[in-house]
């Protein structure tokens, strides 16, 4: 049993089938860089507190550099018998530097090591997610400014409700993705905490300098209870929730693009590059990309539910169950990053079709609420005004045409307070232009918000150099 780091107390070999079942190297090798970085910081710290000599620390760091180079050049042979990335790296290190390699694990356990690695990995990937969210927010702000005046029907219950503008619609998504960025930034703050020095569960008898390791790794603070430090995966859960919410928002946007690009709506046209054809129906142009984005929300929700369930009722501190934390996190990272990247390009390249949207505004009595507000202006209580307009709509339903097509005499039949000045009120432009208070769809309000959006974005996640 000499080949296992715990071999001392065992008399029989681990079964191959057990090795295979318990190994995590197949997926945790993704964290090799973080594992090596954490080990370098740990070795330096051990030298500083006198547990290692400076020469020993130099030897370990040099050896770790070589392991890193071997992995990056594809020479490294990952071994399932060595179970995970931590033992793969350490075993190879010891092959390279000799017995001193065995000193690296002083004052450390795989339990605090794996918690650190996952935090380092997620923190770096979260920064990429934040950059992608920022990119999507920027495209939405640009589109909002450009399409501040382009009208389309707004919907409730998927029934035409009141006119809005494309600019206003893009800003609704800007708000969602800006909140997502806020959430990811908050998660990042709680992820950047160092558990190293917590040992297996009960801390360390060495005078470990936890703050030194923490600063070296660019983290903000240390985890303050060793039992919690090795068993806390809240940061992973938080990210999985953030990811699920991002996918939820993307699925709503995607659903609208699927609807809007259909023959039934024709409000937008997706670039050819984002669609596919049918192998049998030559006329088809299918919105595969937004459909797939919509579908991928499912796996993000599943990942969140999986980890919540894995962690439920686990006694303190570390339990092997927790090895199941990584795959959901990796999958949600891949899903969210891939989805955001393609959405940025899809939204940037799509074309709106103002005439088709305009056409849709003609049906559906889209300014009925404005007529009611006009009657309120003439002194009617709103409830009574609502009733009057309801009767006018019923009349149109029966005889055809829209409210704006009714002759004044007919309109006056519903209420004598109606005058010639009603007609401008019945236009979609006037309806939208009147709604200029903060948060409204008026072109002025949209332009104001699309300008203010850049500063709000900078306050959450500034553009990074490079
Ligand atoms: N591969 C393990 C994981 O991913 C590392 C920690 C294992 N610790 C232990 N005592 N078995 O969680």
């Amino acid at each position: 049993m000499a080949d296992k780091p715990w071999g001392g107390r065992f008399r029989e070999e681990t079964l191959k089938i057990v090795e295979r079942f318990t190994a995590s190297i197949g997926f945790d090798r993704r964290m090799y860089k973080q594992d090596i970085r954490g080990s370098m910081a740990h070795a330096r710290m051990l030298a500083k507190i006198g547990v290692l000599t400076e020469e020993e620390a130099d030897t370990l760091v040099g050896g770790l550099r070589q392991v890193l180079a071997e992995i990056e050049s594809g020479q490294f042979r990952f071994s399932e018998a060595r179970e995970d990335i931590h033992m793969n790296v350490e075993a190879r290190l010891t092959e390279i530097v000799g017995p001193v390699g065995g000193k690296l694990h002083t004052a450390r356990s795989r339990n605090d090591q794996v918690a650190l690695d996952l935090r380092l990995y997620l923190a770096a990937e979260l920064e990429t997610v934040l950059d992608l969210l920022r990119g999507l927010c920027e495209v939405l702000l640009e589109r909002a400014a450009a399409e501040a005046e382009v009208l389309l029907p707004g919907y409730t219950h998927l029934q035409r409700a009141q006119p809005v503008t494309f600019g206003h619609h893009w800003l609704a998504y800007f708000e969602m993705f800006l909140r997502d960025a806020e959430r990811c930034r908050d998660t990042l703050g709680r992820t950047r905490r160092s558990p190293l020095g917590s040992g297996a569960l009960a801390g360390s008898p060495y005078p470990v300098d936890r703050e030194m390791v923490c600063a070296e790794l660019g983290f903000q603070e240390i985890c303050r209870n060793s039992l919690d430090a090795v068993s806390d995966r809240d940061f992973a859960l938080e990210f999985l929730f953030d990811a699920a919410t991002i996918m939820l928002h993307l699925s709503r946007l995607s659903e609208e693009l699927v609807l809007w690009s259909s023959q039934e709506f024709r409000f937008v046209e997706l670039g050819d590059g984002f669609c596919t054809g049918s192998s049998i129906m030559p006329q088809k142009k299918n919105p595969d990309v937004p459909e797939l984005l919509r579908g991928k929300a499912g796996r993000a929700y599943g990942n969140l539910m999986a980890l919540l369930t894995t962690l439920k009722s686990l006694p303190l501190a570390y339990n092997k169950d927790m090895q199941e934390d990584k795959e959901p996190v990796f999958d949600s990272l891949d899903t969210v990053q891939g989805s955001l990247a393609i959405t940025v390009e899809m939204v940037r390249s799509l074309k709106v079709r103002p005439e088709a949207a305009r056409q849709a505004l003609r049906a559906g009595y889209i300014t009925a609420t404005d007529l009611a507000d006009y009657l309120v202006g003439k002194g009617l209580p709103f409830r009574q005004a609502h009733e009057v307009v309801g009767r006018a709509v019923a009349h149109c339903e029966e005889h055809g045409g829209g409210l704006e097509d009714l002759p004044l005499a007919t309109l006056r039949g519903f209420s004598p307070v109606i005058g010639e000045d009603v007609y401008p009120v019945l236009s979609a432009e006037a309806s939208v232009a009147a709604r200029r208070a903060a948060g409204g769809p008026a072109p002025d309000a949209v332009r104001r918000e699309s300008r203010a959006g850049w500063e709000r974005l900078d306050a959450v996640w500034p553009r990074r150099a490079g």
Side-chain angles (χ1 to χ4, degrees):
M1 281 310 300
D3 62 326
K4 291 277 191 283
W6 60 77
R9 72 115 35 238
F10 283 76
R11 273 181 290 148
E12 291 171 21
E13 300 273 315
T14 316
L15 292 175
K16 277 277 164 274
I17 187 178
V18 170
E19 273 184 3
R20 175 144 298 175
F21 186 69
T22 54
S24 54
I25 188 63
F27 48 88
D28 67 13
R29 59 211 275 176
R30 273 170 78 140
M31 309 190 302
Y32 70 90
K33 223 182 264 170
Q34 289 72 26
D35 193 72
I36 289 170
R37 229 182 117 205
S39 287
M40 287 176 171
H42 185 64
R44 291 266 173 248
M45 186 277 288
L46 289 179
K48 188 191 159 211
I49 63 169
V51 169
L52 296 181
T53 66
E54 287 296 339
E55 297 72 55
E56 286 173 327
D58 287 344
T59 305
L60 291 173
V61 170
L64 286 164
R65 265 201 206 102
Q66 185 178 327
V67 175
L68 179 66
E70 288 179 7
I71 295 177
E72 304 215 301
S73 65
Q75 282 169 266
F76 194 93
R77 289 198 27 246
F78 290 100
S79 140
E80 206 163 67
R82 289 171 179 174
E83 193 180 317
D84 56 26
I85 186 63
H86 326 296
M87 296 202 290
N88 267 268
V89 168
E90 192 188 317
R92 177 67 190 129
L93 172 68
T94 305
E95 284 170 11
I96 294 169
V97 302
V100 66
K103 294 195 177 188
L104 175 64
H105 212 52
T106 317
R108 190 175 69 172
S109 154
R110 273 187 300 151
N111 297 350
D112 55 353
Q113 190 180 0
V114 71
L116 174 71
D117 289 5
L118 187 58
R119 284 173 178 273
L120 283 170
Y121 185 85
L122 179 57
E125 297 296 321
L126 261 175
E127 293 192 2
T128 303
V129 172
L130 277 155
D131 289 340
L132 287 162
L133 281 169
R134 181 178 169 106
L136 180 52
C137 284
E138 288 180 359
V139 171
L140 289 164
L141 287 177
E142 281 160 11
R143 286 217 83 119
E147 282 145 15
E149 304 192 11
V150 185
L151 298 175
L152 83 162
Y155 292 79
T156 64
H157 312 271
L158 203 55
Q159 309 284 321
R160 287 173 200 157
Q162 292 175 338
V164 292
T165 52
F166 275 98
H168 193 50
H169 212 97
W170 300 132
L171 288 180
Y173 284 101
F174 169 77
E175 294 296 327
M176 290 178 235
F177 295 117
L178 186 62
R179 284 197 297 277
D180 287 330
E182 284 177 328
R183 261 187 291 274
C184 286
R185 182 203 54 191
D186 294 349
T187 300
L188 187 55
R190 277 181 290 276
T191 301
R192 285 176 174 154
R193 292 177 184 169
S194 175
L196 218 61
S198 300
L201 75 161
S204 168
Y206 299 90
V208 285
D209 187 344
R210 298 191 54 199
E211 298 288 354
M212 175 187 167
V213 174
C214 176
E216 175 103 12
L217 296 172
F219 273 11
Q220 281 142 353
E221 47 189 299
I222 60 168
C223 303
R224 308 221 54 106
N225 177 286
S226 65
L227 287 168
D228 179 53
V230 294
S231 58
D232 167 33
R233 294 295 184 274
D234 293 0
F235 61 97
L237 285 175
E238 280 188 47
F239 162 67
L240 291 175
F241 176 80
D242 300 343
T245 310
I246 292 169
M247 293 310 296
L248 158 65
H249 293 151
L250 288 176
S251 80
R252 297 184 80 169
L253 174 60
S254 297
E255 169 70 0
E256 294 199 322
L257 295 180
V258 169
L259 285 171
W260 286 3
S261 62
S262 71
Q263 293 295 316
E264 282 67 19
F265 281 78
R266 294 165 57 80
F267 291 177
V268 298
E269 182 164 4
L270 298 177
D272 279 1
F274 286 87
C275 300
T276 59
S278 158
S279 54
I280 174 166
M281 298 164 284
Q283 85 284 12
K284 291 296 285 295
K285 179 173 165 184
N286 296 329
D288 283 29
V289 170
E291 287 176 276
L292 198 50
L293 285 165
R294 194 173 61 178
K296 281 182 186 291
R299 64 199 292 155
Y301 298 179
N303 290 336
L304 170 61
M305 209 44 67
L307 188 57
L308 279 169
T309 310
T310 291
L311 295 173
K312 178 183 175 294
S313 310
L314 284 186
L316 299 185
Y318 178 85
N319 299 269
K320 182 75 171 178
D321 314 44
M322 293 166 69
Q323 182 167 291
E324 288 289 308
D325 59 357
K326 282 169 274 307
E327 286 163 293
V329 168
F330 296 161
D331 185 70
S332 278
L333 278 169
D334 293 344
T335 301
V336 151
Q337 290 176 358
S339 299
L340 285 171
I342 200 152
T343 302
V344 171
E345 294 315 316
M346 180 173 65
V347 172
R348 199 203 306 281
S349 65
L350 65 80
K351 289 194 172 53
V352 306
R353 308 176 92 238
E355 346 66 53
R358 179 90 245 174
Q359 194 60 37
L361 283 166
R362 276 195 253 284
Y365 320 105
I366 199 111
T367 53
T369 316
D370 300 277
L371 177 54
D373 287 327
Y374 166 88
L375 294 170
V376 168
K378 299 282 180 185
L380 262 62
F382 185 80
R383 281 289 155 234
Q384 199 184 325
H386 187 287
E387 163 76 22
V388 168
V389 180
R391 279 191 277 116
V393 166
H395 174 94
C396 292
E397 281 280 282
E398 202 176 318
H399 298 91
L403 292 169
E404 63 282 9
D405 303 319
L406 294 175
L408 188 57
T410 313
L411 280 169
R412 288 177 71 93
F414 297 112
S415 172
V417 303
I418 297 178
E420 196 60 62
D421 60 346
V422 74
Y423 290 105
V425 169
L426 295 176
S427 83
E429 279 83 1
S431 168
V432 159
R435 295 158 197 279
R436 60 166 60 86
D444 285 349
V446 168
R447 275 189 282 261
R448 220 165 42 229
E449 282 305 320
S450 63
R451 275 194 302 272
W454 290 91
E455 266 176 47
R456 293 171 63 210
L457 191 51
D458 282 342
V460 175
W461 189 250
R463 181 166 271 286
R464 291 197 289 165

Short mmCIF file of all heavy atoms in Angstrom, two decimals, residues 6 22-25 27-28 31 83-87 109-115 200 233 318-326, ligand 1:
data_model
loop_
_atom_site.label_atom_id
_atom_site.label_comp_id
_atom_site.label_asym_id
_atom_site.label_seq_id
_atom_site.Cartn_x
_atom_site.Cartn_y
_atom_site.Cartn_z
N TRP A 6 -2.05 7.38 2.34
CA TRP A 6 -2.55 6.91 3.64
C TRP A 6 -2.21 5.44 3.85
O TRP A 6 -2.72 4.80 4.77
CB TRP A 6 -4.07 7.11 3.70
CG TRP A 6 -4.79 6.34 2.63
CD1 TRP A 6 -5.06 5.00 2.63
CD2 TRP A 6 -5.30 6.84 1.41
NE1 TRP A 6 -5.68 4.63 1.48
CE2 TRP A 6 -5.85 5.75 0.70
CE3 TRP A 6 -5.31 8.10 0.80
CZ2 TRP A 6 -6.42 5.89 -0.57
CZ3 TRP A 6 -5.90 8.24 -0.44
CH2 TRP A 6 -6.44 7.14 -1.11
N THR A 22 -14.31 6.39 -6.78
CA THR A 22 -14.06 7.51 -5.86
C THR A 22 -13.18 8.60 -6.46
O THR A 22 -13.06 9.68 -5.89
CB THR A 22 -13.39 7.00 -4.56
OG1 THR A 22 -12.22 6.26 -4.91
CG2 THR A 22 -14.34 6.13 -3.76
N ALA A 23 -12.55 8.31 -7.60
CA ALA A 23 -11.62 9.29 -8.18
C ALA A 23 -12.35 10.54 -8.67
O ALA A 23 -13.48 10.47 -9.14
CB ALA A 23 -10.86 8.65 -9.34
N SER A 24 -11.69 11.68 -8.55
CA SER A 24 -12.24 12.92 -9.09
C SER A 24 -11.31 13.54 -10.13
O SER A 24 -11.60 14.60 -10.67
CB SER A 24 -12.52 13.91 -7.96
OG SER A 24 -11.36 14.11 -7.17
N ILE A 25 -10.19 12.85 -10.40
CA ILE A 25 -9.20 13.44 -11.30
C ILE A 25 -9.78 13.73 -12.69
O ILE A 25 -9.36 14.67 -13.36
CB ILE A 25 -7.92 12.53 -11.40
CG1 ILE A 25 -6.81 13.24 -12.18
CG2 ILE A 25 -8.24 11.18 -12.01
CD1 ILE A 25 -6.30 14.51 -11.53
N PHE A 27 -12.39 15.13 -13.47
CA PHE A 27 -12.93 16.50 -13.61
C PHE A 27 -12.16 17.56 -12.81
O PHE A 27 -12.07 18.69 -13.24
CB PHE A 27 -14.42 16.55 -13.27
CG PHE A 27 -14.81 15.86 -11.98
CD1 PHE A 27 -14.77 16.54 -10.78
CD2 PHE A 27 -15.21 14.52 -11.98
CE1 PHE A 27 -15.13 15.91 -9.59
CE2 PHE A 27 -15.57 13.88 -10.79
CZ PHE A 27 -15.52 14.58 -9.59
N ASP A 28 -11.54 17.15 -11.67
CA ASP A 28 -10.91 18.22 -10.88
C ASP A 28 -9.54 18.62 -11.43
O ASP A 28 -8.92 19.56 -10.94
CB ASP A 28 -10.88 17.91 -9.38
CG ASP A 28 -9.99 16.75 -8.98
OD1 ASP A 28 -9.18 16.31 -9.80
OD2 ASP A 28 -10.11 16.31 -7.81
N MET A 31 -8.63 22.20 -12.14
CA MET A 31 -8.14 23.16 -11.14
C MET A 31 -6.63 23.05 -10.92
O MET A 31 -6.12 23.49 -9.90
CB MET A 31 -8.85 22.92 -9.80
CG MET A 31 -10.38 22.87 -9.92
SD MET A 31 -11.21 22.89 -8.31
CE MET A 31 -10.51 21.43 -7.53
N GLU A 83 -6.17 9.41 -7.49
CA GLU A 83 -7.49 9.93 -7.11
C GLU A 83 -7.86 11.33 -7.58
O GLU A 83 -8.83 11.51 -8.29
CB GLU A 83 -7.67 9.86 -5.58
CG GLU A 83 -9.11 10.10 -5.17
CD GLU A 83 -9.31 10.03 -3.65
OE1 GLU A 83 -8.74 9.13 -3.01
OE2 GLU A 83 -10.04 10.86 -3.12
N ASP A 84 -7.09 12.31 -7.12
CA ASP A 84 -7.51 13.67 -7.46
C ASP A 84 -6.33 14.55 -7.86
O ASP A 84 -5.18 14.11 -7.84
CB ASP A 84 -8.33 14.29 -6.31
CG ASP A 84 -7.59 14.30 -4.98
OD1 ASP A 84 -6.33 14.30 -5.00
OD2 ASP A 84 -8.26 14.28 -3.93
N ILE A 85 -6.62 15.79 -8.19
CA ILE A 85 -5.57 16.69 -8.68
C ILE A 85 -4.53 16.95 -7.60
O ILE A 85 -3.33 17.05 -7.88
CB ILE A 85 -6.19 18.02 -9.21
CG1 ILE A 85 -5.11 18.92 -9.85
CG2 ILE A 85 -6.93 18.78 -8.11
CD1 ILE A 85 -4.43 18.34 -11.06
N HIS A 86 -4.98 16.99 -6.34
CA HIS A 86 -4.04 17.30 -5.24
C HIS A 86 -2.97 16.23 -5.13
O HIS A 86 -1.79 16.52 -5.03
CB HIS A 86 -4.80 17.43 -3.92
CG HIS A 86 -6.17 18.01 -4.08
ND1 HIS A 86 -6.36 19.28 -4.54
CD2 HIS A 86 -7.42 17.47 -3.92
CE1 HIS A 86 -7.65 19.52 -4.64
NE2 HIS A 86 -8.32 18.43 -4.27
N MET A 87 -3.41 14.94 -5.17
CA MET A 87 -2.45 13.85 -5.01
C MET A 87 -1.66 13.61 -6.29
O MET A 87 -0.50 13.20 -6.24
CB MET A 87 -3.17 12.59 -4.54
CG MET A 87 -3.79 12.82 -3.16
SD MET A 87 -4.12 11.35 -2.23
CE MET A 87 -5.45 10.64 -3.13
N SER A 109 -4.34 19.85 4.80
CA SER A 109 -5.13 18.65 4.52
C SER A 109 -5.73 18.85 3.14
O SER A 109 -5.85 19.98 2.66
CB SER A 109 -6.24 18.53 5.56
OG SER A 109 -7.32 17.78 5.04
N ARG A 110 -6.11 17.75 2.52
CA ARG A 110 -6.80 17.94 1.24
C ARG A 110 -8.14 18.65 1.46
O ARG A 110 -8.68 19.23 0.54
CB ARG A 110 -7.04 16.59 0.55
CG ARG A 110 -5.88 16.15 -0.31
CD ARG A 110 -6.22 14.91 -1.08
NE ARG A 110 -6.55 13.82 -0.19
CZ ARG A 110 -7.38 12.81 -0.48
NH1 ARG A 110 -7.97 12.78 -1.65
NH2 ARG A 110 -7.60 11.86 0.39
N ASN A 111 -8.63 18.61 2.68
CA ASN A 111 -9.93 19.24 2.92
C ASN A 111 -9.87 20.77 2.82
O ASN A 111 -10.77 21.39 2.24
CB ASN A 111 -10.47 18.82 4.30
CG ASN A 111 -10.73 17.32 4.35
OD1 ASN A 111 -10.67 16.65 3.32
ND2 ASN A 111 -11.01 16.80 5.53
N ASP A 112 -8.81 21.36 3.40
CA ASP A 112 -8.71 22.82 3.20
C ASP A 112 -8.15 23.14 1.81
O ASP A 112 -8.48 24.17 1.21
CB ASP A 112 -7.95 23.53 4.33
CG ASP A 112 -6.56 22.99 4.61
OD1 ASP A 112 -6.18 21.96 4.02
OD2 ASP A 112 -5.84 23.62 5.42
N GLN A 113 -7.37 22.19 1.28
CA GLN A 113 -6.78 22.41 -0.05
C GLN A 113 -7.87 22.44 -1.14
O GLN A 113 -7.88 23.33 -2.00
CB GLN A 113 -5.78 21.28 -0.33
CG GLN A 113 -4.93 21.50 -1.55
CD GLN A 113 -3.94 20.34 -1.76
OE1 GLN A 113 -3.91 19.37 -0.98
NE2 GLN A 113 -3.14 20.44 -2.81
N VAL A 114 -8.77 21.48 -1.09
CA VAL A 114 -9.78 21.41 -2.15
C VAL A 114 -10.74 22.60 -2.05
O VAL A 114 -11.17 23.16 -3.06
CB VAL A 114 -10.55 20.07 -2.14
CG1 VAL A 114 -11.50 19.94 -0.96
CG2 VAL A 114 -11.33 19.89 -3.44
N ALA A 115 -11.02 23.02 -0.82
CA ALA A 115 -11.90 24.19 -0.66
C ALA A 115 -11.23 25.43 -1.25
O ALA A 115 -11.86 26.24 -1.94
CB ALA A 115 -12.22 24.41 0.82
N ALA A 200 -7.55 19.52 8.39
CA ALA A 200 -8.59 18.56 8.05
C ALA A 200 -9.95 19.07 8.54
O ALA A 200 -10.97 18.93 7.87
CB ALA A 200 -8.30 17.21 8.65
N ARG A 233 -19.78 25.31 1.33
CA ARG A 233 -19.82 25.43 -0.13
C ARG A 233 -20.88 26.46 -0.53
O ARG A 233 -21.39 26.44 -1.65
CB ARG A 233 -20.14 24.08 -0.78
CG ARG A 233 -19.07 23.02 -0.61
CD ARG A 233 -17.76 23.38 -1.31
NE ARG A 233 -16.76 22.32 -1.21
CZ ARG A 233 -15.90 22.18 -0.18
NH1 ARG A 233 -15.90 23.05 0.81
NH2 ARG A 233 -15.03 21.18 -0.15
N TYR A 318 -15.86 17.96 6.75
CA TYR A 318 -15.79 17.44 5.39
C TYR A 318 -16.40 16.04 5.30
O TYR A 318 -16.23 15.22 6.19
CB TYR A 318 -14.34 17.39 4.89
CG TYR A 318 -14.23 16.81 3.49
CD1 TYR A 318 -14.41 17.62 2.38
CD2 TYR A 318 -14.01 15.44 3.29
CE1 TYR A 318 -14.35 17.09 1.09
CE2 TYR A 318 -13.96 14.92 2.02
CZ TYR A 318 -14.13 15.74 0.92
OH TYR A 318 -14.08 15.20 -0.33
N ASN A 319 -17.13 15.80 4.22
CA ASN A 319 -17.61 14.46 3.88
C ASN A 319 -17.35 14.23 2.41
O ASN A 319 -17.41 15.18 1.62
CB ASN A 319 -19.13 14.34 4.10
CG ASN A 319 -19.52 14.59 5.55
OD1 ASN A 319 -19.60 13.68 6.35
ND2 ASN A 319 -19.78 15.85 5.88
N LYS A 320 -17.10 13.00 2.04
CA LYS A 320 -16.75 12.71 0.64
C LYS A 320 -17.86 13.12 -0.32
O LYS A 320 -17.61 13.40 -1.49
CB LYS A 320 -16.42 11.22 0.49
CG LYS A 320 -16.00 10.79 -0.91
CD LYS A 320 -14.57 11.22 -1.27
CE LYS A 320 -14.14 10.56 -2.58
NZ LYS A 320 -12.78 10.99 -2.99
N ASP A 321 -19.09 13.18 0.19
CA ASP A 321 -20.20 13.66 -0.64
C ASP A 321 -19.84 14.95 -1.36
O ASP A 321 -20.29 15.22 -2.47
CB ASP A 321 -21.44 14.00 0.21
CG ASP A 321 -21.81 12.97 1.24
OD1 ASP A 321 -20.90 12.46 1.93
OD2 ASP A 321 -23.02 12.69 1.38
N MET A 322 -19.02 15.76 -0.65
CA MET A 322 -18.76 17.10 -1.16
C MET A 322 -17.94 17.12 -2.45
O MET A 322 -17.87 18.14 -3.12
CB MET A 322 -18.10 17.93 -0.07
CG MET A 322 -19.08 18.17 1.08
SD MET A 322 -18.32 18.77 2.57
CE MET A 322 -17.86 20.37 2.00
N GLN A 323 -17.34 15.99 -2.78
CA GLN A 323 -16.64 15.89 -4.06
C GLN A 323 -17.61 16.13 -5.22
O GLN A 323 -17.20 16.48 -6.32
CB GLN A 323 -15.99 14.52 -4.18
CG GLN A 323 -15.20 14.30 -5.43
CD GLN A 323 -14.34 13.06 -5.34
OE1 GLN A 323 -13.37 12.99 -4.59
NE2 GLN A 323 -14.70 12.04 -6.11
N GLU A 324 -18.89 15.93 -4.96
CA GLU A 324 -19.92 16.15 -5.98
C GLU A 324 -20.18 17.63 -6.24
O GLU A 324 -21.07 17.99 -6.99
CB GLU A 324 -21.23 15.47 -5.56
CG GLU A 324 -21.20 13.96 -5.64
CD GLU A 324 -21.21 13.45 -7.08
OE1 GLU A 324 -22.09 13.86 -7.86
OE2 GLU A 324 -20.31 12.66 -7.42
N ASP A 325 -19.43 18.51 -5.57
CA ASP A 325 -19.67 19.95 -5.75
C ASP A 325 -19.15 20.48 -7.08
O ASP A 325 -19.66 21.47 -7.61
CB ASP A 325 -19.05 20.76 -4.59
CG ASP A 325 -17.53 20.55 -4.46
OD1 ASP A 325 -16.95 19.76 -5.23
OD2 ASP A 325 -16.92 21.18 -3.56
N LYS A 326 -18.09 19.82 -7.61
CA LYS A 326 -17.37 20.44 -8.71
C LYS A 326 -18.07 20.35 -10.06
O LYS A 326 -18.13 21.33 -10.81
CB LYS A 326 -15.95 19.85 -8.79
CG LYS A 326 -15.03 20.47 -7.73
CD LYS A 326 -13.72 19.76 -7.59
CE LYS A 326 -13.75 18.59 -6.63
NZ LYS A 326 -14.28 18.86 -5.28
N1 LIG B 1 -11.21 14.81 -4.19
C1 LIG B 1 -11.72 15.35 -2.95
C2 LIG B 1 -12.86 16.33 -3.26
O1 LIG B 1 -12.98 16.71 -4.37
C3 LIG B 1 -10.62 16.07 -2.23
C4 LIG B 1 -10.74 16.09 -0.73
C5 LIG B 1 -10.72 14.72 -0.22
N2 LIG B 1 -10.51 14.64 1.18
C6 LIG B 1 -10.63 13.52 1.79
N3 LIG B 1 -10.37 13.46 3.03
N4 LIG B 1 -10.98 12.42 1.16
O2 LIG B 1 -13.62 16.71 -2.39
#
